[in-house]
Amino acid sequence: MHLGKGPMTDLNHLEHDLLNQVEAAGDEAALETVRVSALGKKGSVSELLKTLGAMTPEERKERGPLINGLRDKVQTAIVAKKETLAEAALDARLSAERVDVTLPVQEGPETRGRIHPISQVIEELTAIFADMGFSVAEGPDVETDYLNFTALNFPVGHPAREMHDTFFLAPDEKGERKVLRTHTSPVQIRTMTSQKPPIRVIIPGRTYRHDSDQTHTPMFHQVEGLVIDKQANIAHLKWILEEFCKTFFEVDQVKMRFRPSFFPFTEPSAEVDIQCSRKGGEIRFGEGEDWLEILGCGMVHPNVLRNCGLDPDEYQGFAWGMGIDRIAMLKYGMPDLRPFFEADVRWLNHYGFRPLDIPSLVGGLTS
């Protein structure tokens, strides 16, 4: 490019023109177009730089710094404009994607639901007893009269049948009236008739009785445990129940007392009380001078073993049972049993558990 008679004027004009183009660029694409037109292979400044080789030493000494200075000014202006455009783009994005940190964070769909306290406690029970070598056994909610009563040493006409206030179904074609199981004990019979000892199972599940008040509902949940072996005894039963109570209620120690009682399916039988404190209207376990009944237990009656085809002279065992809803109320401070089954989302949000907080002995049952 020939600069003509006024090279300084031409350079000043070109510089003014290029810097105006840089300043007018509205985005990085427009700025890149200006850069190519000025500093690209065939850009206006690049063409000027090419003329330096054909100049005399005197001309090169005079015009070289001017052309190189132009190049440097244009490059500096382009870099500065690029930073300005980047900052403007970031500001626009921040403005469009602004988050009000004073508002509560919305939970994602994977954490929005809640695990029902009954499901939570069943998971806790399973974790505790699995650590002691127990497996889980299950059975149907609708049972035969034989499995629910007779096989468990409730003979026909036994007054204990009336104590359960049972839901009887209509007679079938054989005239047999099945029942909604009044306890999970029929699963003990099913287990003993289908497995050979040694047996170590827990049996959580729904049960049904004609009760309805603050601490009773027509349908509730129960967990029973069963151990059958040649040397199973009361000492084993006591240790298991103590370890369970310490782990479930998360206390370092707990005192228990066994009071003689009567159940048709165990002999001897006992009600179990656990040490607690009731100060301030709050029940706390592992301390205090009060007692709270928590479960029933005993050695499996020889008649029950015989009904399952086991020789009571060779095998013996023990069993226990407790209400899952009741121990959930005791542990988590729920005053009334009825809301467990009312499907009130507000209650569930308050007492429920996050779905990813899976109970375990390693991670902590209530962590």
Side-chain angles (χ1 to χ4, degrees), residues 33-53:
T33 300
V34 176
R35 188 196 69 79
V36 171
S37 68
L39 303 176
K41 271 189 175 184
K42 297 182 179 180
S44 55
V45 177
S46 299
E47 291 295 330
L48 286 175
L49 290 170
K50 292 176 183 178
T51 65
L52 292 175

Side-chain angles (χ1 to χ4, degrees), residues 86-144:
E87 289 177 1
L90 179 59
D91 289 341
R93 181 179 176 185
L94 291 175
S95 178
E97 300 177 4
R98 180 175 297 171
V99 176
D100 187 347
V101 296
T102 64
L103 293 175
V105 177
Q106 294 290 330
E107 291 186 332
E110 72 281 359
T111 60
R112 195 172 298 150
R114 290 294 180 267
I115 295 176
H116 196 283
I118 295 299
S119 299
Q120 171 79 8
V121 171
I122 290 176
E123 290 290 338
E124 294 182 19
L125 294 169
T126 302
I128 294 169
F129 285 111
D131 192 57
M132 291 190 276
F134 285 79
S135 58
V136 176
E138 297 178 315
D141 289 10
V142 178
E143 274 291 4
T144 65

Side-chain angles (χ1 to χ4, degrees), residues 272-323:
V272 178
D273 301 329
I274 184 173
Q275 171 200 20
C276 69
S277 169
R278 301 175 188 265
K279 292 181 180 179
E282 179 182 5
I283 297 179
R284 300 179 65 89
F285 296 103
E287 58 185 72
E289 302 297 329
D290 294 323
W291 297 93
L292 180 68
E293 180 184 325
I294 194 172
L295 59 89
C297 64
M299 299 298 294
V300 178
H301 198 290
N303 289 344
V304 176
L305 294 174
R306 292 189 187 95
N307 291 337
C308 296
L310 298 176
D311 185 355
D313 293 326
E314 182 180 3
Y315 293 106
Q316 59 189 28
F318 52 83
W320 69 89
M322 68 188 85

Side-chain angles (χ1 to χ4, degrees), residues 168-242:
F168 283 91
L169 277 66
D172 58 17
E173 63 277 1
K174 297 180 180 179
E176 180 182 2
R177 299 183 66 187
K178 291 187 177 181
V179 301
L180 295 179
R181 64 182 183 186
T182 58
H183 42 195
T184 55
S185 301
V187 184
Q188 294 189 32
I189 304 298
R190 291 177 176 272
T191 302
M192 285 188 281
T193 54
S194 62
Q195 299 180 23
K196 292 184 178 180
I199 295 172
R200 291 176 180 81
V201 296
I202 60 166
I203 308 159
R206 293 178 295 269
T207 53
Y208 307 84
R209 299 181 193 176
H210 252 311
D211 281 325
S212 184
D213 56 38
Q214 186 174 356
T215 57
H216 298 84
T217 53
M219 188 277 288
F220 59 100
H221 297 81
Q222 188 180 63
V223 61
E224 295 186 9
L226 174 68
V227 172
I228 301 294
D229 209 336
K230 292 184 178 181
Q231 297 180 334
N233 56 61
I234 287 287
H236 298 147
L237 170 62
K238 182 179 179 182
W239 179 86
I240 288 172
L241 295 179
E242 285 184 350

Side-chain angles (χ1 to χ4, degrees), residues 230-255:
K230 292 184 178 181
Q231 297 180 334
N233 56 61
I234 287 287
H236 298 147
L237 170 62
K238 182 179 179 182
W239 179 86
I240 288 172
L241 295 179
E242 285 184 350
E243 289 301 307
F244 164 74
C245 288
K246 286 193 297 184
T247 307
F248 181 76
F249 292 111
E250 300 180 46
V251 294
D252 295 330
Q253 61 179 2
V254 64
K255 292 181 180 179

